[in-house]
Amino acid sequence: EVQLVESGGGLVQPGGSLRLSCAASGFTFTDYYMSWVRQAPGAGLEWVANTHPYGSDKYNVDSVKGRFTITRDNAKNALYLQMNSLRPDDTAVYFCARERYGWGFDHWGRGTLVTVSS
Amino acid sequence: EIVLTQSPATLSLSPGDRATLSCRASQSVGNYLAWYQQKPGQAPRLLIYDASNRATGIPARFSGSGSGTDFTLTISSLEPEDFAFYYCQQRADWPPYTFGQGTKLEIK
């Protein structure tokens, strides 16, 4: 069974940093691009970033460029999101999602809440 | 960036009704469009990929159609568990992947 479990969320002050983790199991991690998708309170879904199976290519949305970095550790079946210079509008539930080629985001974690507030 | 616009924002129907949800793209996405269902406090679930293909385990009452810029998600006969939020998402031109703003399907 595919499982994605996020951790690392919490309350952080504006300008602070946080590192999210996603533990993956139940599938061959290196077969898939992996993404982070976020959802602000009461709002819709926003794709944040993704990474190639071997980390050679990484992409992100313009609003997080220069602040957020996606990485993966294939030996640990883990995905990470390093978030720096956090702003109040980064407040959201952050989901880890598996990208199935030709399909879309076919498996999601339950999410971890990040709150940026003083 | 491709903008996806969903309509209506809220759809009020009764169990057993037919639901028709729309997603319009700001430019052609071919058939590279997916639909997701999300219930409060839960992660999204992939329903439809490539405009008209049901994902694994999705009931046959869910169907998708369209290509280019206009797409439709149809639920043929609503079950109580179908009342939720629905989002479309394009993968034709990325980064970034983009989602529509969502349609809330509520019980009338």
Side-chain angles (χ1 to χ4, degrees):
Chain A
E1 178 193 3
V2 173
Q3 285 200 322
L4 300 169
V5 181
E6 302 92 340
S7 61
L11 175 63
V12 61
Q13 291 190 337
S17 297
L18 215 51
R19 188 197 196 205
L20 305 183
S21 300
C22 171
S25 61
F27 65 100
T28 303
F29 191 59
T30 50
D31 281 350
Y32 295 90
Y33 271 80
M34 295 294 297
S35 272
W36 289 98
V37 177
R38 68 184 178 182
Q39 186 169 37
L45 301 166
E46 180 184 36
W47 175 80
V48 174
N50 74 352
T51 175
H52 179 276
Y54 290 93
S56 54
D57 295 314
K58 302 173 186 180
Y59 302 94
N60 51 39
V61 70
D62 283 350
S63 60
V64 308
K65 270 189 172 60
R67 302 188 300 122
F68 290 11
T69 302
I70 187 171
T71 58
R72 63 193 292 162
D73 184 336
N74 288 342
K76 296 181 178 179
N77 285 355
L79 179 71
Y80 304 102
L81 187 67
Q82 178 66 44
M83 303 186 296
N84 299 330
S85 303
L86 281 160
R87 310 187 301 218
D89 63 355
D90 294 318
T91 294
V93 174
Y94 285 73
F95 296 101
C96 166
R98 189 180 86 166
E99 294 183 44
R100 180 166 175 174
Y101 181 78
W103 282 43
F105 304 110
D106 70 333
H107 284 277
W108 300 65
R110 299 184 69 173
T112 187
L113 176 62
V114 172
T115 303
V116 184
S117 174
S118 55
Chain B
E1 172 177 321
I2 295 178
V3 176
L4 300 178
T5 302
Q6 292 185 240
S7 60
T10 302
L11 185 57
S12 300
L13 294 171
S14 301
D17 286 349
R18 181 184 186 88
T20 302
L21 287 68
S22 175
C23 177
R24 176 163 290 179
S26 60
Q27 64 191 75
S28 177
V29 299
N31 68 336
Y32 295 141
L33 190 103
W35 290 93
Y36 299 83
Q37 177 193 67
Q38 187 182 31
K39 298 178 181 179
Q42 296 186 17
R45 176 173 71 144
L46 177 65
L47 298 175
I48 301 288
Y49 67 94
D50 284 355
S52 61
N53 297 292
R54 275 189 302 278
T56 305
I58 302 304
R61 64 181 182 273
F62 291 91
S63 63
S65 62
S67 65
T69 60
D70 290 294
F71 299 86
T72 301
L73 175 69
T74 301
I75 310 171
S76 59
S77 179
L78 285 165
E79 296 289 339
E81 62 267 27
D82 297 336
F83 292 92
F85 288 86
Y86 291 84
Y87 296 93
C88 56
Q89 175 248 328
Q90 66 82 22
R91 64 178 186 88
D93 183 19
W94 68 277
Y97 294 119
T98 51
F99 291 87
Q101 83 281 13
T103 289
K104 180 182 180 181
L105 178 55
E106 66 176 21
I107 299 177
K108 187 173 183 180

